[in-house]
Amino acid sequence: MTMLPEKLLTGYRTFMAQRYANETMRYRQLAEQGQTPETLVIACCDSRAAPEIIFDTSPGEIFVIRNVANLVPPYEPDGEYHATSAALEFAVQSLKVKNIVVLGHGRCGGIKAALDTESKPLSPGDFIGKWMSLVAPAAEAVAANELMTPFERQTALERISIRYSLRNLRSFPCVDILEKKGRLTLHGAWFDISTGELWVMNPETGDFLRPDPELVDLQPGQ
Amino acid sequence: MTMLPEKLLTGYRTFMAQRYANETMRYRQLAEQGQTPETLVIACCDSRAAPEIIFDTSPGEIFVIRNVANLVPPYEPDGEYHATSAALEFAVQSLKVKNIVVLGHGRCGGIKAALDTESKPLSPGDFIGKWMSLVAPAAEAVAANELMTPFERQTALERISIRYSLRNLRSFPCVDILEKKGRLTLHGAWFDISTGELWVMNPETGDFLRPDPELVDLQPGQ
Amino acid sequence: MTMLPEKLLTGYRTFMAQRYANETMRYRQLAEQGQTPETLVIACCDSRAAPEIIFDTSPGEIFVIRNVANLVPPYEPDGEYHATSAALEFAVQSLKVKNIVVLGHGRCGGIKAALDTESKPLSPGDFIGKWMSLVAPAAEAVAANELMTPFERQTALERISIRYSLRNLRSFPCVDILEKKGRLTLHGAWFDISTGELWVMNPETGDFLRPDPELVDLQPGQ
Amino acid sequence: MTMLPEKLLTGYRTFMAQRYANETMRYRQLAEQGQTPETLVIACCDSRAAPEIIFDTSPGEIFVIRNVANLVPPYEPDGEYHATSAALEFAVQSLKVKNIVVLGHGRCGGIKAALDTESKPLSPGDFIGKWMSLVAPAAEAVAANELMTPFERQTALERISIRYSLRNLRSFPCVDILEKKGRLTLHGAWFDISTGELWVMNPETGDFLRPDPELVDLQPGQ
């Protein structure tokens, strides 16, 4: 009897034979002592953009929220269920992370759906439509520019939505206060699936730049 | 100037030099042709339990939702923002995944908080308290059982909450219909951070068992 | 007596000692037999983006128009002086070039001026304002999107104006006819001064992509 | 798929491997800080006479206008599109160049066309005929002198048209004023494609002379 997709079971056996075998002590210590990740990464669910792969992290390094299009809703203490806000609160207040990285990526299906003004809801509940409405004003502004190609519009909205999520992060009092005290730093980054390139946001200008592997400073590009 | 935590930048360079270098064509094809993951994994944000590591997946294989304690809320088409329901809808309706795996793990901070009836809210909004209230009745029942050790109570609630999430998944009409048609399979699994063991849920009994690496059948445990 | 800026005279002596010394026969043949360039490049006057340098061309290879922002005005047979249209006509009708490349570049001062809606004319004649009004509708559309950063807006307009120039090229009957006969090919490219990267336009989608030095095919980026 | 002429792509790769590799920091600084060229060169589109090659310039040194026969039209603030006047205004008023060099050359196709009184227009719009009519009175006078050989007539008109462009430059108020204040210097030069020689115009007599590489003074010739 196989109770998991066979491919996942095979992968799990590789994990045990390699990664876990190599890092047994680290896993045991992490289990005993609990996690103390320094960084929260808010990433997309996309199967091609896992932050643990892109940042080649070890277990215990990054606490990871993944939702469609790596969005952060604005602070709304309304007593509803908020998966992202709850995880954010846990990371900042309980784990006391020092960094938050909003990690977007190219060819994002959620962003594409937000730009497709003629799409029909996937369900009567239209969860995805409602979720992507978090960036609706930006999506409308970008979609209206017919001089840009569809690909250019998509990249533009992907990057705008990262800046938008960073702004919403600051609407949470705990984030705002800790950032002003210098105990929490916010970052934006955008991953290009095709080229593997990571474009990092300049916090002052909002532009996305590629880190230079040689010089460790950042050069603008588009 | 460094705009990302140095550790992540270093990790990214390793990714480019190793993983991306080895899988360039795969990344390019995934970028060109779009993602077609066969499996949705609903996992915890915990820094020690990344599904891509545990299942040793390649890019493009699994679509991943990560929230605190890998919870699925019940179907509530109320027009609010629902990060998890939106991502679920996108995976099932748009990407048409064939499998959904709810992946829990040991020593889960969210589950621990749910069992700690004397804890105070982390914030006036109390996002994490509200979020974990999704398993409140089970948490109360387990917490009341003083014959189990705290560790046993935590493991018990971790597994109950996986079964609870699987039940909520079936409250979504699209999941229910496709599962009944045999086009979608639901799975539960629980990862032991300390031993690296993956315990897989028997769909008939709800028990969690260890797949035997030699025999490929499943042995009950814990 | 020095009748040229000293730096240019020094550079000229280097040209004579090196390039001309190495290519004397080529220069003599080009003088005797006349030029037969296969490609017309329409580039910007910018001191940082000379096409002969970027394409490492030999003498005789490319016929080059340079005006501010590498613009092509629409076909207007009105009897006025048209520097760009005249040079285009000469390249296509008399030299019978096989390719036309519109070469834009990042951080273009002309495009920046077009986006700066509050700038005052440099002169009563306002030649530069009138010239950049060739892309005024696009500039207004892009300038209106305040969600993009100034740098992003500039890159967007730089690329839109390349597509715009290609469209205007096709308004010239001689270009349109020869392209349809397959005897003339139109190309767009954008040079990143900072990184040295050349982004080439996909003629079908209008997107700008980086040519891959290894594979000689083109991968989308940005 | 190749979206640029293969020869240009090959040349671009050489540029990246050699010139850009050697001057990376210069390109980055020029991108960051903007261009500050000291000299505007007005040159011909001819594929054999690129000013960056002839003057062996580095990126950022010269701002370059290229039109057929390196002509400057007279100052005409008539609200029409003027590629050359716009670029001139940008160089003088915005970049505040200190020198303007009108660079002509031998065997110029535009000048040859101006002398060929029996040629038919290349198109109904006759852009090139209209453009070259800027030197029509001189062309007629030279063409009438049957005592000179065709080659002598062509060289004569090439040099006359350089002096003519310098006169038109001075019809622009901004050029005239700055030259009189000593903040802008005008130069003429003529490049012999066959011998590689640069002939520089004596500003007082209008004669074209060869700078002596040894003695750094100028010897009359031709």
Short mmCIF file of all heavy atoms in Angstrom, two decimals, chain C residues 3 11-12 16 20 30-31 35 45-48 52 60 62 64 66 79 89 93 107 122-123 128 130 187 194 196 198 218, chain D residues 3 12 16 20 30-31 35 45-48 52 60 62 64 66 79 89 93 107 122-123 128 130 187 194-196 198:
data_model
loop_
_atom_site.label_atom_id
_atom_site.label_comp_id
_atom_site.label_asym_id
_atom_site.label_seq_id
_atom_site.Cartn_x
_atom_site.Cartn_y
_atom_site.Cartn_z
N MET C 3 43.98 72.44 -33.47
CA MET C 3 42.67 72.83 -33.98
C MET C 3 41.57 71.85 -33.60
O MET C 3 40.43 72.02 -34.01
CB MET C 3 42.74 72.95 -35.51
CG MET C 3 43.68 74.05 -35.94
SD MET C 3 43.81 74.04 -37.72
CE MET C 3 45.18 75.16 -37.97
N GLY C 11 43.64 60.49 -29.53
CA GLY C 11 42.90 59.28 -29.91
C GLY C 11 43.11 58.96 -31.38
O GLY C 11 43.26 57.80 -31.76
N TYR C 12 43.12 60.00 -32.20
CA TYR C 12 43.33 59.78 -33.62
C TYR C 12 44.68 59.14 -33.89
O TYR C 12 44.81 58.24 -34.72
CB TYR C 12 43.19 61.11 -34.39
CG TYR C 12 43.72 61.02 -35.79
CD1 TYR C 12 43.11 60.18 -36.73
CD2 TYR C 12 44.85 61.74 -36.17
CE1 TYR C 12 43.62 60.08 -38.01
CE2 TYR C 12 45.35 61.65 -37.45
CZ TYR C 12 44.74 60.81 -38.37
OH TYR C 12 45.24 60.69 -39.64
N MET C 16 45.50 55.63 -35.85
CA MET C 16 46.43 55.44 -36.95
C MET C 16 47.47 54.35 -36.63
O MET C 16 47.81 53.53 -37.47
CB MET C 16 47.15 56.75 -37.27
CG MET C 16 46.32 57.72 -38.07
SD MET C 16 45.72 57.03 -39.65
CE MET C 16 47.16 57.33 -40.70
N TYR C 20 44.05 51.53 -37.87
CA TYR C 20 44.30 51.74 -39.29
C TYR C 20 45.51 50.93 -39.76
O TYR C 20 45.49 50.34 -40.85
CB TYR C 20 44.50 53.22 -39.64
CG TYR C 20 44.67 53.43 -41.11
CD1 TYR C 20 43.57 53.45 -41.96
CD2 TYR C 20 45.94 53.54 -41.68
CE1 TYR C 20 43.72 53.59 -43.33
CE2 TYR C 20 46.10 53.68 -43.05
CZ TYR C 20 44.99 53.70 -43.88
OH TYR C 20 45.14 53.81 -45.23
N LEU C 30 37.56 49.61 -49.00
CA LEU C 30 36.28 50.29 -48.74
C LEU C 30 36.24 51.64 -49.46
O LEU C 30 35.18 52.08 -49.91
CB LEU C 30 36.07 50.49 -47.24
CG LEU C 30 35.61 49.24 -46.46
CD1 LEU C 30 35.75 49.49 -44.96
CD2 LEU C 30 34.17 48.90 -46.82
N ALA C 31 37.38 52.31 -49.55
CA ALA C 31 37.43 53.60 -50.23
C ALA C 31 37.25 53.41 -51.73
O ALA C 31 36.48 54.12 -52.38
CB ALA C 31 38.75 54.30 -49.92
N GLN C 35 31.01 51.75 -49.86
CA GLN C 35 30.49 50.98 -48.73
C GLN C 35 29.33 50.09 -49.15
O GLN C 35 28.56 50.46 -50.03
CB GLN C 35 30.04 51.91 -47.60
CG GLN C 35 28.86 52.82 -47.98
CD GLN C 35 28.37 53.67 -46.83
OE1 GLN C 35 28.53 53.30 -45.66
NE2 GLN C 35 27.79 54.82 -47.15
N CYS C 45 22.25 59.51 -29.66
CA CYS C 45 23.49 60.29 -29.64
C CYS C 45 24.31 60.04 -28.39
O CYS C 45 25.48 60.45 -28.34
CB CYS C 45 23.15 61.78 -29.66
SG CYS C 45 22.23 62.33 -31.10
N ASP C 46 23.74 59.38 -27.41
CA ASP C 46 24.37 59.24 -26.09
C ASP C 46 25.83 58.78 -26.20
O ASP C 46 26.16 57.87 -26.96
CB ASP C 46 23.58 58.23 -25.26
CG ASP C 46 23.95 58.30 -23.79
OD1 ASP C 46 25.07 57.85 -23.45
OD2 ASP C 46 23.16 58.81 -22.99
N SER C 47 26.68 59.45 -25.42
CA SER C 47 28.12 59.20 -25.50
C SER C 47 28.52 57.82 -24.97
O SER C 47 29.64 57.39 -25.15
CB SER C 47 28.86 60.27 -24.70
OG SER C 47 28.50 60.20 -23.33
N ARG C 48 27.55 57.14 -24.31
CA ARG C 48 27.88 55.87 -23.68
C ARG C 48 27.39 54.67 -24.48
O ARG C 48 27.51 53.53 -24.05
CB ARG C 48 27.26 55.83 -22.27
CG ARG C 48 27.70 56.98 -21.41
CD ARG C 48 26.78 57.16 -20.21
NE ARG C 48 25.45 57.57 -20.62
CZ ARG C 48 24.42 57.77 -19.80
NH1 ARG C 48 24.58 57.59 -18.49
NH2 ARG C 48 23.25 58.15 -20.25
N GLU C 52 29.07 51.02 -32.83
CA GLU C 52 30.31 50.37 -33.30
C GLU C 52 31.05 49.70 -32.15
O GLU C 52 31.76 48.70 -32.36
CB GLU C 52 31.23 51.41 -33.95
CG GLU C 52 30.78 51.87 -35.32
CD GLU C 52 29.75 52.99 -35.21
OE1 GLU C 52 29.40 53.36 -34.07
OE2 GLU C 52 29.31 53.47 -36.26
N GLY C 60 32.80 49.73 -42.37
CA GLY C 60 32.03 49.25 -43.52
C GLY C 60 30.85 48.36 -43.16
O GLY C 60 30.03 48.04 -44.02
N ILE C 62 28.30 48.70 -40.54
CA ILE C 62 26.99 49.26 -40.21
C ILE C 62 26.89 50.74 -40.60
O ILE C 62 27.80 51.52 -40.38
CB ILE C 62 26.65 49.10 -38.70
CG1 ILE C 62 27.75 49.70 -37.80
CG2 ILE C 62 26.45 47.62 -38.35
CD1 ILE C 62 27.41 49.68 -36.31
N VAL C 64 24.98 54.15 -39.80
CA VAL C 64 24.47 54.53 -38.49
C VAL C 64 23.81 55.91 -38.47
O VAL C 64 24.45 56.91 -38.80
CB VAL C 64 25.63 54.53 -37.46
CG1 VAL C 64 25.12 54.96 -36.09
CG2 VAL C 64 26.27 53.15 -37.37
N ARG C 66 22.25 58.59 -35.86
CA ARG C 66 22.16 58.83 -34.42
C ARG C 66 21.42 60.14 -34.15
O ARG C 66 21.82 61.21 -34.58
CB ARG C 66 23.55 58.84 -33.78
CG ARG C 66 24.14 57.42 -33.80
CD ARG C 66 25.49 57.33 -33.18
NE ARG C 66 25.45 57.42 -31.73
CZ ARG C 66 26.55 57.29 -30.97
NH1 ARG C 66 27.72 57.07 -31.54
NH2 ARG C 66 26.45 57.39 -29.67
N GLY C 79 8.05 67.64 -47.92
CA GLY C 79 8.98 68.60 -48.50
C GLY C 79 9.86 69.32 -47.48
O GLY C 79 10.60 70.23 -47.82
N GLU C 89 16.02 56.58 -46.03
CA GLU C 89 15.79 56.36 -47.47
C GLU C 89 17.10 55.99 -48.18
O GLU C 89 17.13 55.08 -49.00
CB GLU C 89 15.21 57.64 -48.07
CG GLU C 89 14.86 57.51 -49.54
CD GLU C 89 14.26 58.81 -50.08
OE1 GLU C 89 15.04 59.74 -50.38
OE2 GLU C 89 13.04 58.89 -50.19
N GLN C 93 17.03 52.46 -49.89
CA GLN C 93 16.85 52.53 -51.35
C GLN C 93 18.16 52.51 -52.11
O GLN C 93 18.25 51.93 -53.18
CB GLN C 93 16.11 53.83 -51.73
CG GLN C 93 14.80 54.05 -51.02
CD GLN C 93 13.63 53.48 -51.80
OE1 GLN C 93 13.52 52.25 -51.89
NE2 GLN C 93 12.79 54.34 -52.32
N ARG C 107 18.75 54.72 -19.20
CA ARG C 107 19.13 56.04 -18.68
C ARG C 107 19.24 57.09 -19.78
O ARG C 107 20.11 57.96 -19.74
CB ARG C 107 20.47 55.93 -17.93
CG ARG C 107 20.38 54.99 -16.75
CD ARG C 107 21.73 54.41 -16.38
NE ARG C 107 21.57 53.25 -15.51
CZ ARG C 107 21.53 53.30 -14.20
NH1 ARG C 107 21.66 54.42 -13.58
NH2 ARG C 107 21.36 52.19 -13.49
N LEU C 122 14.23 74.21 -23.30
CA LEU C 122 15.62 74.68 -23.22
C LEU C 122 15.82 75.95 -24.03
O LEU C 122 16.78 76.68 -23.82
CB LEU C 122 16.57 73.58 -23.73
CG LEU C 122 16.74 72.37 -22.83
CD1 LEU C 122 17.55 71.30 -23.55
CD2 LEU C 122 17.44 72.76 -21.54
N SER C 123 14.93 76.19 -24.99
CA SER C 123 15.08 77.36 -25.85
C SER C 123 13.70 77.76 -26.34
O SER C 123 12.75 76.97 -26.24
CB SER C 123 15.95 77.01 -27.06
OG SER C 123 15.23 76.18 -27.95
N ILE C 128 14.17 70.18 -28.63
CA ILE C 128 14.19 68.87 -27.98
C ILE C 128 12.78 68.48 -27.52
O ILE C 128 12.36 67.34 -27.65
CB ILE C 128 15.23 68.84 -26.83
CG1 ILE C 128 15.43 67.41 -26.32
CG2 ILE C 128 14.81 69.73 -25.66
CD1 ILE C 128 16.20 66.57 -27.28
N LYS C 130 9.97 69.42 -28.90
CA LYS C 130 9.20 69.05 -30.09
C LYS C 130 9.61 67.65 -30.57
O LYS C 130 8.76 66.84 -30.92
CB LYS C 130 9.47 70.10 -31.19
CG LYS C 130 8.77 69.81 -32.50
CD LYS C 130 7.25 69.90 -32.37
CE LYS C 130 6.55 69.41 -33.64
NZ LYS C 130 5.10 69.32 -33.47
N HIS C 187 14.67 44.94 -36.51
CA HIS C 187 15.05 44.44 -35.19
C HIS C 187 14.99 45.56 -34.16
O HIS C 187 15.22 46.72 -34.49
CB HIS C 187 16.50 43.91 -35.21
CG HIS C 187 16.83 42.99 -36.33
ND1 HIS C 187 16.74 41.63 -36.24
CD2 HIS C 187 17.25 43.25 -37.60
CE1 HIS C 187 17.11 41.08 -37.38
NE2 HIS C 187 17.41 42.04 -38.23
N SER C 194 24.88 50.11 -17.59
CA SER C 194 25.52 49.70 -16.34
C SER C 194 26.07 48.28 -16.40
O SER C 194 27.21 48.02 -16.02
CB SER C 194 24.51 49.81 -15.20
OG SER C 194 25.11 49.46 -13.99
N GLY C 196 26.20 46.41 -19.21
CA GLY C 196 26.72 46.05 -20.53
C GLY C 196 25.84 45.07 -21.28
O GLY C 196 26.18 44.65 -22.38
N LEU C 198 22.91 43.48 -23.52
CA LEU C 198 22.06 43.82 -24.65
C LEU C 198 20.79 42.99 -24.56
O LEU C 198 20.84 41.76 -24.49
CB LEU C 198 22.80 43.50 -25.96
CG LEU C 198 22.10 44.00 -27.22
CD1 LEU C 198 22.24 45.50 -27.34
CD2 LEU C 198 22.67 43.31 -28.44
N LEU C 218 17.27 32.78 -27.25
CA LEU C 218 16.97 33.93 -26.40
C LEU C 218 16.03 33.55 -25.27
O LEU C 218 15.00 32.94 -25.48
CB LEU C 218 16.34 35.03 -27.24
CG LEU C 218 17.30 35.66 -28.24
CD1 LEU C 218 16.56 36.53 -29.22
CD2 LEU C 218 18.34 36.46 -27.51
N MET D 3 17.46 36.73 -33.05
CA MET D 3 16.64 37.91 -33.32
C MET D 3 17.46 39.11 -33.79
O MET D 3 16.91 40.16 -34.01
CB MET D 3 15.87 38.29 -32.08
CG MET D 3 14.87 37.22 -31.69
SD MET D 3 14.12 37.63 -30.15
CE MET D 3 13.25 36.10 -29.78
N TYR D 12 28.80 41.56 -30.34
CA TYR D 12 28.39 41.93 -28.98
C TYR D 12 29.08 41.05 -27.94
O TYR D 12 29.52 41.52 -26.90
CB TYR D 12 26.86 41.83 -28.84
CG TYR D 12 26.42 41.85 -27.41
CD1 TYR D 12 26.63 42.98 -26.62
CD2 TYR D 12 25.84 40.73 -26.82
CE1 TYR D 12 26.25 43.00 -25.29
CE2 TYR D 12 25.46 40.74 -25.50
CZ TYR D 12 25.67 41.88 -24.73
OH TYR D 12 25.31 41.88 -23.41
N MET D 16 31.46 42.22 -24.82
CA MET D 16 31.30 41.84 -23.41
C MET D 16 32.58 41.21 -22.86
O MET D 16 32.99 41.47 -21.74
CB MET D 16 30.13 40.87 -23.24
CG MET D 16 28.78 41.53 -23.27
SD MET D 16 28.56 42.83 -21.99
CE MET D 16 28.07 41.83 -20.58
N TYR D 20 33.86 45.59 -22.45
CA TYR D 20 33.09 45.77 -21.21
C TYR D 20 33.81 45.15 -20.02
O TYR D 20 33.84 45.71 -18.93
CB TYR D 20 31.67 45.18 -21.33
CG TYR D 20 30.88 45.44 -20.07
CD1 TYR D 20 30.29 46.67 -19.85
CD2 TYR D 20 30.77 44.46 -19.08
CE1 TYR D 20 29.60 46.95 -18.68
CE2 TYR D 20 30.09 44.73 -17.91
CZ TYR D 20 29.51 45.97 -17.71
OH TYR D 20 28.83 46.22 -16.54
N LEU D 30 29.47 55.61 -15.38
CA LEU D 30 28.74 56.41 -16.37
C LEU D 30 27.24 56.21 -16.24
O LEU D 30 26.46 57.13 -16.48
CB LEU D 30 29.19 56.02 -17.78
CG LEU D 30 30.54 56.59 -18.22
CD1 LEU D 30 31.00 55.91 -19.49
CD2 LEU D 30 30.43 58.10 -18.44
N ALA D 31 26.85 54.98 -15.86
CA ALA D 31 25.42 54.72 -15.69
C ALA D 31 24.89 55.43 -14.45
O ALA D 31 23.85 56.08 -14.47
CB ALA D 31 25.17 53.22 -15.60
N GLN D 35 26.03 60.89 -18.23
CA GLN D 35 27.10 61.24 -19.15
C GLN D 35 27.48 62.72 -19.01
O GLN D 35 26.62 63.55 -18.72
CB GLN D 35 26.67 60.95 -20.59
CG GLN D 35 25.51 61.79 -21.07
CD GLN D 35 25.15 61.54 -22.52
OE1 GLN D 35 26.00 61.17 -23.33
NE2 GLN D 35 23.88 61.73 -22.86
N CYS D 45 26.49 59.25 -41.51
CA CYS D 45 26.04 57.88 -41.22
C CYS D 45 26.97 56.83 -41.82
O CYS D 45 26.85 55.64 -41.48
CB CYS D 45 24.66 57.65 -41.84
SG CYS D 45 23.37 58.74 -41.23
N ASP D 46 27.87 57.25 -42.69
CA ASP D 46 28.69 56.32 -43.46
C ASP D 46 29.32 55.23 -42.57
O ASP D 46 29.86 55.51 -41.50
CB ASP D 46 29.79 57.09 -44.19
CG ASP D 46 30.45 56.25 -45.27
OD1 ASP D 46 31.21 55.33 -44.91
OD2 ASP D 46 30.19 56.49 -46.45
N SER D 47 29.24 54.00 -43.07
CA SER D 47 29.68 52.85 -42.29
C SER D 47 31.20 52.80 -42.11
O SER D 47 31.71 52.01 -41.32
CB SER D 47 29.23 51.56 -42.97
OG SER D 47 29.82 51.44 -44.25
N ARG D 48 31.91 53.67 -42.84
CA ARG D 48 33.37 53.62 -42.81
C ARG D 48 33.98 54.73 -41.96
O ARG D 48 35.20 54.84 -41.88
CB ARG D 48 33.89 53.72 -44.25
CG ARG D 48 33.37 52.63 -45.15
CD ARG D 48 33.57 52.98 -46.62
NE ARG D 48 32.77 54.15 -47.01
CZ ARG D 48 32.77 54.69 -48.23
NH1 ARG D 48 33.53 54.17 -49.19
NH2 ARG D 48 32.01 55.74 -48.50
N GLU D 52 33.83 57.28 -33.08
CA GLU D 52 34.42 56.58 -31.93
C GLU D 52 35.64 55.77 -32.34
O GLU D 52 36.54 55.54 -31.53
CB GLU D 52 33.38 55.62 -31.30
CG GLU D 52 32.30 56.32 -30.50
CD GLU D 52 31.16 56.80 -31.38
OE1 GLU D 52 31.25 56.60 -32.61
OE2 GLU D 52 30.20 57.35 -30.84
N GLY D 60 31.45 57.59 -23.04
CA GLY D 60 31.20 58.80 -22.26
C GLY D 60 31.93 60.03 -22.78
O GLY D 60 31.67 61.13 -22.31
N ILE D 62 32.29 61.29 -26.21
CA ILE D 62 31.70 62.14 -27.26
C ILE D 62 30.22 61.84 -27.45
O ILE D 62 29.80 60.68 -27.48
CB ILE D 62 32.45 62.01 -28.61
CG1 ILE D 62 32.51 60.53 -29.08
CG2 ILE D 62 33.85 62.61 -28.51
CD1 ILE D 62 33.12 60.37 -30.47
N VAL D 64 27.21 62.06 -30.08
CA VAL D 64 27.36 61.93 -31.53
C VAL D 64 26.03 62.03 -32.28
O VAL D 64 25.12 61.24 -32.04
CB VAL D 64 28.03 60.58 -31.88
CG1 VAL D 64 28.15 60.43 -33.40
CG2 VAL D 64 29.41 60.48 -31.23
N ARG D 66 24.55 61.61 -36.03
CA ARG D 66 24.95 61.13 -37.36
C ARG D 66 23.79 61.24 -38.33
O ARG D 66 22.73 60.64 -38.12
CB ARG D 66 25.50 59.69 -37.27
CG ARG D 66 26.84 59.69 -36.54
CD ARG D 66 27.45 58.34 -36.42
NE ARG D 66 28.00 57.83 -37.68
CZ ARG D 66 28.64 56.68 -37.77
NH1 ARG D 66 28.82 55.92 -36.68
NH2 ARG D 66 29.11 56.27 -38.93
N GLY D 79 8.57 74.77 -35.17
CA GLY D 79 7.65 73.80 -34.57
C GLY D 79 7.62 72.46 -35.28
O GLY D 79 6.82 71.60 -34.96
N GLU D 89 20.64 71.09 -29.61
CA GLU D 89 20.16 71.83 -28.45
C GLU D 89 20.43 71.05 -27.16
O GLU D 89 20.86 71.61 -26.15
CB GLU D 89 18.66 72.09 -28.60
CG GLU D 89 18.05 72.88 -27.46
CD GLU D 89 16.56 73.12 -27.69
OE1 GLU D 89 15.75 72.21 -27.40
OE2 GLU D 89 16.19 74.20 -28.16
N GLN D 93 22.73 72.91 -24.61
CA GLN D 93 21.99 73.52 -23.50
C GLN D 93 21.92 72.62 -22.27
O GLN D 93 21.95 73.10 -21.14
CB GLN D 93 20.55 73.84 -23.94
CG GLN D 93 20.45 74.68 -25.19
CD GLN D 93 20.35 76.16 -24.85
OE1 GLN D 93 21.33 76.75 -24.40
NE2 GLN D 93 19.18 76.72 -25.06
N ARG D 107 34.62 60.52 -50.25
CA ARG D 107 33.77 59.55 -50.95
C ARG D 107 32.39 59.45 -50.31
O ARG D 107 31.82 58.36 -50.21
CB ARG D 107 34.44 58.17 -50.94
CG ARG D 107 35.79 58.19 -51.65
CD ARG D 107 36.69 57.06 -51.21
NE ARG D 107 38.08 57.33 -51.55
CZ ARG D 107 38.66 56.92 -52.71
NH1 ARG D 107 37.98 56.22 -53.56
NH2 ARG D 107 39.91 57.21 -52.95
N LEU D 122 14.84 59.02 -55.17
CA LEU D 122 14.72 57.62 -54.75
C LEU D 122 13.29 57.27 -54.40
O LEU D 122 12.91 56.11 -54.38
CB LEU D 122 15.62 57.36 -53.53
CG LEU D 122 17.13 57.34 -53.80
CD1 LEU D 122 17.90 57.30 -52.50
CD2 LEU D 122 17.49 56.14 -54.67
N SER D 123 12.48 58.29 -54.08
CA SER D 123 11.09 58.02 -53.69
C SER D 123 10.26 59.25 -54.01
O SER D 123 10.81 60.33 -54.24
CB SER D 123 11.01 57.75 -52.19
OG SER D 123 11.22 58.97 -51.47
N ILE D 128 16.00 62.22 -49.40
CA ILE D 128 17.43 62.45 -49.51
C ILE D 128 17.71 63.67 -50.39
O ILE D 128 18.59 64.49 -50.09
CB ILE D 128 18.16 61.18 -50.01
CG1 ILE D 128 19.67 61.32 -49.86
CG2 ILE D 128 17.81 60.84 -51.44
CD1 ILE D 128 20.13 61.28 -48.44
N LYS D 130 15.73 66.25 -50.77
CA LYS D 130 15.39 67.43 -49.99
C LYS D 130 16.48 67.73 -48.97
O LYS D 130 16.88 68.89 -48.79
CB LYS D 130 14.05 67.19 -49.28
CG LYS D 130 13.60 68.34 -48.40
CD LYS D 130 13.24 69.58 -49.22
CE LYS D 130 13.01 70.78 -48.31
NZ LYS D 130 12.89 72.02 -49.06
N HIS D 187 34.80 73.22 -34.42
CA HIS D 187 35.89 72.64 -35.18
C HIS D 187 35.35 71.95 -36.43
O HIS D 187 34.23 71.45 -36.44
CB HIS D 187 36.62 71.56 -34.36
CG HIS D 187 36.99 71.97 -32.98
ND1 HIS D 187 38.22 72.49 -32.66
CD2 HIS D 187 36.30 71.94 -31.82
CE1 HIS D 187 38.27 72.75 -31.35
NE2 HIS D 187 37.11 72.42 -30.82
N SER D 194 40.55 56.22 -47.37
CA SER D 194 41.57 55.39 -47.99
C SER D 194 42.91 55.42 -47.24
O SER D 194 43.51 54.39 -46.96
CB SER D 194 41.78 55.85 -49.43
OG SER D 194 42.73 55.03 -50.06
N THR D 195 43.35 56.62 -46.88
CA THR D 195 44.66 56.74 -46.22
C THR D 195 44.55 56.76 -44.71
O THR D 195 45.57 56.68 -44.01
CB THR D 195 45.36 58.05 -46.64
OG1 THR D 195 44.55 59.15 -46.15
CG2 THR D 195 45.49 58.15 -48.15
N GLY D 196 43.33 56.89 -44.20
CA GLY D 196 43.16 56.97 -42.76
C GLY D 196 43.52 58.33 -42.20
O GLY D 196 43.48 58.54 -40.98
N LEU D 198 43.37 62.21 -41.11
CA LEU D 198 42.40 63.20 -40.66
C LEU D 198 42.94 64.58 -41.04
O LEU D 198 44.07 64.95 -40.69
CB LEU D 198 42.24 63.11 -39.14
CG LEU D 198 41.11 63.95 -38.56
CD1 LEU D 198 39.77 63.31 -38.89
CD2 LEU D 198 41.28 64.09 -37.05
#
